[in-house]
Amino acid sequence: MFVLGIDPGLSRCGYGCVTRTQAAGEYRTIAAGVVTTPPSEPVPTRLAMLRSDLDELLDDLQPDVMVIERIFFRSNARTAMSVGQASGVALLTAVEHGCRVAEYTAAEVKLAVTGYGSAPKEQVQAMVTRLLRLGEVPRPADVADALALGICHLGAASWEQERAMMRGLPR
Amino acid sequence: MFVLGIDPGLSRCGYGCVTRTQAAGEYRTIAAGVVTTPPSEPVPTRLAMLRSDLDELLDDLQPDVMVIERIFFRSNARTAMSVGQASGVALLTAVEHGCRVAEYTAAEVKLAVTGYGSAPKEQVQAMVTRLLRLGEVPRPADVADALALGICHLGAASWEQERAMMRGLPR
């Protein structure tokens, strides 16, 4: 299963495609990077650029699932609009490619990657680097975030029970 | 010139397509309504439904310009994400149909429609009803908002000067 994590944004949209080997259960990076659009262009044009780049990415990678963060806007009201717009375009692209979509909160991603739902960002990045056996922490941070989303989904099966407990759901 | 006002939303996306007669300069409604998506469906599916309905709408109406409200998220953080996502899909659809995009703030729309940038919602709705010679105030409110955006753009030429003054721009 190929899982494509997406950290949506208009200036910089991070992506990280990961899978897990059947034998050893090790995580593998298939592709990772950022899609950028020039701030000098009007927003609608930038959305069309993002759309075109994501189209190409999904054509190339053929992911089974796109994973995106479930966001609650409290602090970053300024960037809320463009994050929402970019996320809308990403989700639309997924559906039109027949790619399933999964969403997790930041706390769920932290829990899945580090075993601790309140882990600091650095700890998540360090764990992503280790799980994927990368030489260094992926930069920019959007790439590490996208990879963490992918790992979260791949690992979901094993921590589904704990998440249900966190949410007080029946197991 | 056909101007399509869009009041973006995932549950209800209002639209209003207006034009102005060359002779008398009167406003005319070409089409108005709402596109809805069922809250029971997952967000990505709803975005794809919205996309498909907007595609059809733009095919039918062939508007020259799509007009959308420039939103600043302060109060409605809860709906910010879905409004942003719907707006992203609407803007993308416009670009892919070769339709220009214009954005105005709520205050600009009020100024253009009523001559008063702090006009209450009811006054804007009454003025939309009057300018388009409709029998009653368009319902739901999303439709009236979308029509107001269209009227705002069509009337823009005449109040551009006043707007520049409001913003302290050189005329």
Side-chain angles (χ1 to χ4, degrees), chain A residues 44 51 73 77 81 84-85 87 95, chain B residues 44 73 77 81 84-85 87 95-96:
Chain A
R51 156 70 168 198
F73 288 116
M81 192 64 177
Q85 289 171 332
S87 136
V95 172
Chain B
F73 289 117
M81 192 65 177
Q85 289 171 332
S87 137
V95 173
E96 293 188 350

Side-chain angles (χ1 to χ4, degrees), chain B residues 78-142:
Chain B
R78 259 185 232 173
T79 56
M81 192 65 177
S82 61
V83 170
Q85 289 171 332
S87 137
V89 167
L91 294 174
L92 177 72
T93 308
V95 173
E96 293 188 350
H97 279 257
C99 173
R100 280 179 292 130
V101 172
E103 288 184 299
Y104 302 96
T105 65
E108 289 169 347
V109 174
K110 287 173 175 188
L111 176 64
V113 174
T114 70
Y116 176 50
S118 309
K121 211 170 179 66
E122 294 71 27
Q123 193 180 336
V124 177
Q125 292 176 347
M127 202 62 196
V128 165
T129 311
R130 203 174 118 190
L131 286 172
L132 294 171
R133 279 153 296 126
L134 304 171
E136 52 185 12
V137 173
R139 301 270 173 236
D142 317 65

